[in-house]
Amino acid sequence: MVTPGGLVLLTDRRSAAGPLPQVVAAAVRGGAAWVILRERDLRYAERAALAAELRSSLPPGRLIVAGPDPLGGDAVHLAGGDPLPFGIGLVGRSWHGTESLSGVDYVTVSPVHLTESKPGYGPALGATGAAELRAPVPWLALGGIDSPSRAADCAAAGAAGVAVMGALMRSPDPESTARELATAFAAAVPAGSQGCLAPVETAPTTGRGGGW
């Protein structure tokens, strides 16, 4: 199974520096390998149309939808309280070290750093602290990954990727910002690591889950 890795973009149309589809397309050109569509407040038809539009900017299968409904795709990212959907090919979950990870293929671990997107949310784990939670599935570092050095620290700590929202959404040049973050992460991946596109076998696991 291919699970998310490298630079993963989380959407937030309210903080985006331009129209969301254009910001996403620019970030993908710069090196964002996956996109997680949030925007859970939109009406179903609007959100489904947005999902279809964003998919046109990505390789097949690389759009993940936040929530249990994949909106015509086959990948979802669940919050801690979302039910596990049936028959979905790729399932991620936000995790803080306590929730069950049965049926989950990857997790986001947060907050790695304090972030403007969620002020007051913490304490910050740091890249080492996130790694010490020992997620039993591939994990993405989330929260305050706003510089190449922070992206590199997460790669060195063993993260499969970095999930970034604010630094890309608010950037006046999301393509350049994505390129800097993606390049720094890739350069710091430990030798012998499978990398973001390699198959990763996962099995239903009961972990110490939680999420952002």
Side-chain angles (χ1 to χ4, degrees), residues 72-144:
D74 195 34
V76 296
H77 185 86
L78 308 175
D82 284 332
L84 187 69
F86 176 76
I88 302 298
L90 178 65
V91 178
R93 190 179 288 280
S94 299
W95 190 69
H96 299 103
T98 56
E99 297 89 345
S100 169
L101 296 184
S102 177
V104 172
D105 303 303
Y106 77 92
V107 294
T108 55
V109 176
S110 65
V112 175
H113 297 284
L114 299 182
T115 170
E116 292 181 28
S117 300
K118 281 203 169 186
Y121 184 70
L125 296 167
T128 301
E132 288 174 350
L133 289 178
R134 299 187 182 278
V137 292
W139 61 280
L140 307 176
L142 171 63

Side-chain angles (χ1 to χ4, degrees), residues 6 27 32 43 56 63 73 79 85 102 104 107-108 156 162 202 211:
R43 294 180 180 178
S56 68
L63 181 74
S102 177
V104 172
V107 294
T108 55
V162 288
T202 61

Side-chain angles (χ1 to χ4, degrees), residues 104-200:
V104 172
D105 303 303
Y106 77 92
V107 294
T108 55
V109 176
S110 65
V112 175
H113 297 284
L114 299 182
T115 170
E116 292 181 28
S117 300
K118 281 203 169 186
Y121 184 70
L125 296 167
T128 301
E132 288 174 350
L133 289 178
R134 299 187 182 278
V137 292
W139 61 280
L140 307 176
L142 171 63
I145 314 299
D146 56 8
S147 68
S149 62
R150 287 184 170 183
D153 287 345
C154 294
V162 288
V164 178
M165 185 170 69
L168 288 171
M169 289 289 101
R170 293 189 288 266
S171 173
D173 186 352
E175 182 173 350
S176 176
T177 301
R179 184 171 293 110
E180 291 174 354
L181 295 173
T183 299
F185 182 89
V189 171
S193 173
Q194 289 179 310
C196 67
L197 300 182
V200 178

